Amino acid sequence: MEDEITIDLGELLSIVKKKYKFMLKVTSLCVIAAGGYLLLASPVYESEALLRIKQPKGIASSLLEGVSGNNMASKQLMSTYAEILKSRSVIVPVIEKVEEPNEEGVYPSYASYVDKVSTTPYKDTEIMKVAVQSNTPEKAQQINQLVVESFLNRLTDLVRGEQKLTRVFIGERLVDAKAELNVAEDKLTAYKKNSKILSPSDEVKLISEKVGVVDGLRAENSVALAAAKAKLASVNEQLAGAGKSTVENSVIQKFSNQIAELEAERISYMDKYTAKHPKVVETEDAIAKLKQKQQEEIDKVVAFEAPSANPVHQQLLTGKFSSEAEISIAEANLAELDRMEQRNQQEINRLSENEQEYLTLLRDVNVAQEIYIMLAKRLEEAKVVEVAVPTEVQVVDSSTLPESPIKPRKFMTLLLAAFLGLLGSCGFVVVKELLNKTIKTADDVATYLDLPVLASIPDYETMNKEKEKTEETGLMTKLGRFLWKN
């Protein structure tokens, strides 16, 4: 069994007392070294700005706006904007404005600059603090101002860029729709002139109205389907194939099926009633509620089942799932409209050849006109959204001019240096003394060498100290007696 090692606290205290001069020297050296660091270290100043990140409520269909107004969505939105603020597209332009390139024309790296920028959201608020550090107060304020400006410009570019794609798509389709409308109108005019048809019969008018309702709904769903597919293609390109399909989620697909059934019911009502009929209104309200529940389910799926925790990635997945749901509903609507088209065709077949030809040409004109009007409205909306400046981010407090540096903290640095010097030197002398295995006392001879102690030579220095102490004690005693007698 190994010998137990005991540590006497009194012995440790005596070791510390004996080596206190060495400990003071080490502590002083640490404090001096810390003072030298403080003299050489460049001061760091921090400028702060406060931004308000509002929940979007505009008409834009930006992917950044595709979140619901709950607490989780608010946190995702805040994280998304924080990532955008620290992105290369925001920081690099600031570097090029503030810094000078070296002899080779190279600016400071993005990685070295982004560490100077930090974002801190305030809990349960829409406020986010943007802090920027630099070696001078003026430069810290300047960089902070430029970062906020670059961030706002980048948000504007993102929203306008997405809306530009939509506007270009609708604009190109509008040109084609106008050409198709002109061709259809020319054919109808020529046929009426050649057939000498001045006014269609009541039966033709009735069938034309039914066909017109179906064609109008078909045009509406066709445009919605094309827009959803275009959006889905754009999102898939950015995701590079990542992300699950909504088909894999039974709850989302169930909502799509229920919405499709209600849409089919609404379409059947449109063939009998007006748009303001109670049954039509009731069905449309039910569809709106189901779409809202479906969007909430999509948000949950994205939040809890997304393969990435990146907020921007999650927003792209939200757009992907929403687009797939819109495509599924539009395709179901078109299938129902095909069945209605077959029933209308049976009624058309009972008309004469001239009336059938006239109805076909009139139908082409109505369809082309419906598509053209719908695209024209959407184009105007897209133009308004594209030129509108997003207001989801507001500057609450502009960049501050710091009055004093935040680093280095002189008092704390000196205090820490003194503490580390004292602790380190104390630990060093104690460990050194404990590891010293030399013979120090008569007891050590008997313990380690197992030899009898015949005599010991006193420590001269210790004897002198004891003698001086005794003499001082005796002198003080005599002096006290003398004073007491007198």
Side-chain angles (χ1 to χ4, degrees), residues 402-460:
E403 298 179 357
S404 58
I406 61 169
K407 293 187 295 186
R409 302 173 65 180
K410 296 181 180 180
F411 177 75
M412 290 299 297
T413 302
L414 294 175
L415 184 63
L416 182 62
F419 175 75
L420 292 177
L422 185 62
L423 183 64
S425 60
C426 181
F428 174 77
V429 297
V430 169
V431 171
K432 182 181 178 181
E433 192 69 21
L434 292 177
L435 294 178
N436 185 3
K437 299 300 183 180
T438 58
I439 302 299
K440 302 183 186 68
T441 64
D443 293 336
D444 291 343
V445 175
T447 301
Y448 297 114
L449 301 180
D450 195 21
L451 295 175
V453 178
L454 301 178
S456 63
I457 302 174
D459 183 3
Y460 179 76

Side-chain angles (χ1 to χ4, degrees), residues 6-294:
T6 60
I7 298 177
D8 187 0
L9 295 179
E11 182 182 357
L12 294 180
L13 185 60
S14 65
I15 293 172
V16 171
K17 287 182 177 180
K18 186 169 61 176
K19 299 292 185 178
Y20 79 94
K21 292 183 178 180
F22 170 78
M23 294 168 57
L24 289 177
K25 290 179 181 179
V26 173
T27 304
S28 300
L29 288 175
C30 290
V31 173
I32 293 172
Y37 162 75
L38 293 175
L39 291 175
L40 297 176
S42 299
V44 177
Y45 296 86
E46 185 176 80
S47 175
E48 298 180 354
L50 293 182
L51 304 180
R52 181 189 178 191
I53 312 296
K54 297 194 303 180
Q55 281 291 326
K57 298 178 182 178
I59 60 175
S61 58
S62 168
L63 291 177
L64 297 177
E65 300 177 23
V67 294
S68 60
N70 52 37
N71 189 42
M72 181 178 299
S74 179
K75 291 180 179 179
Q76 287 185 355
L77 187 66
M78 192 80 74
S79 300
T80 300
Y81 281 136
E83 292 293 328
I84 294 175
L85 186 142
K86 298 171 69 174
S87 65
R88 292 181 180 273
S89 58
V90 172
I91 302 299
V92 171
V94 176
I95 297 175
E96 295 176 352
K97 289 181 180 179
V98 175
E99 303 295 336
E100 294 291 336
N102 59 18
E103 297 178 355
E104 299 177 354
V106 179
Y107 288 93
S109 66
Y110 161 79
S112 65
Y113 235 76
V114 74
D115 292 337
K116 301 178 182 180
V117 182
S118 62
T119 58
T120 306
Y122 288 95
K123 187 177 180 181
D124 299 329
T125 69
E126 296 179 336
I127 303 298
M128 180 173 67
K129 182 181 76 173
V130 180
V132 176
Q133 298 179 358
S134 187
N135 54 1
T136 64
E138 294 78 11
K139 192 171 184 179
Q141 183 184 40
Q142 180 189 15
I143 296 174
N144 201 334
Q145 289 175 345
L146 292 175
V147 166
V148 172
E149 291 175 4
S150 182
F151 169 59
L152 296 176
N153 292 335
R154 182 54 180 160
L155 285 182
T156 302
D157 292 340
L158 285 173
V159 175
R160 288 181 176 175
E162 293 174 3
Q163 295 305 319
K164 182 179 180 180
L165 294 176
T166 303
R167 178 184 59 79
V168 171
F169 168 76
I170 296 176
E172 293 175 350
R173 185 67 186 90
L174 184 64
V175 174
D176 296 337
K178 179 63 175 178
E180 293 170 359
L181 176 59
N182 292 336
V183 171
E185 288 177 343
D186 292 341
K187 288 183 178 180
L188 179 60
T189 302
Y191 183 79
K192 290 171 67 175
K193 185 183 294 186
N194 295 333
S195 302
K196 298 180 181 180
I197 298 178
L198 299 177
S199 178
S201 63
D202 293 338
E203 185 179 5
V204 173
K205 289 181 180 180
L206 180 60
I207 296 176
S208 177
E209 290 177 0
K210 291 183 179 181
V211 172
V213 171
V214 174
D215 290 340
L217 293 173
R218 182 186 297 279
E220 178 182 340
N221 282 275
S222 297
V223 172
L225 179 62
K229 286 183 176 180
K231 182 178 178 180
L232 179 61
S234 175
V235 172
N236 282 335
E237 183 179 354
Q238 296 180 67
L239 286 172
K244 301 178 181 179
S245 172
T246 54
V247 178
E248 299 177 17
N249 187 282
S250 59
V251 179
I252 297 177
Q253 189 60 34
K254 179 181 178 181
F255 279 123
S256 296
N257 295 335
Q258 292 177 349
I259 293 172
E261 292 176 0
L262 287 176
E263 286 282 3
E265 185 177 345
R266 182 181 72 91
I267 291 173
S268 66
Y269 289 154
M270 295 297 290
D271 193 28
K272 305 174 185 177
Y273 311 115
T274 63
K276 295 183 180 181
H277 193 277
K279 289 188 176 181
V280 177
V281 174
E282 182 181 352
T283 306
E284 289 178 345
D285 290 342
I287 292 173
K289 290 179 181 178
L290 278 177
K291 286 184 177 180
Q292 182 179 357
K293 292 181 179 179
Q294 185 184 53

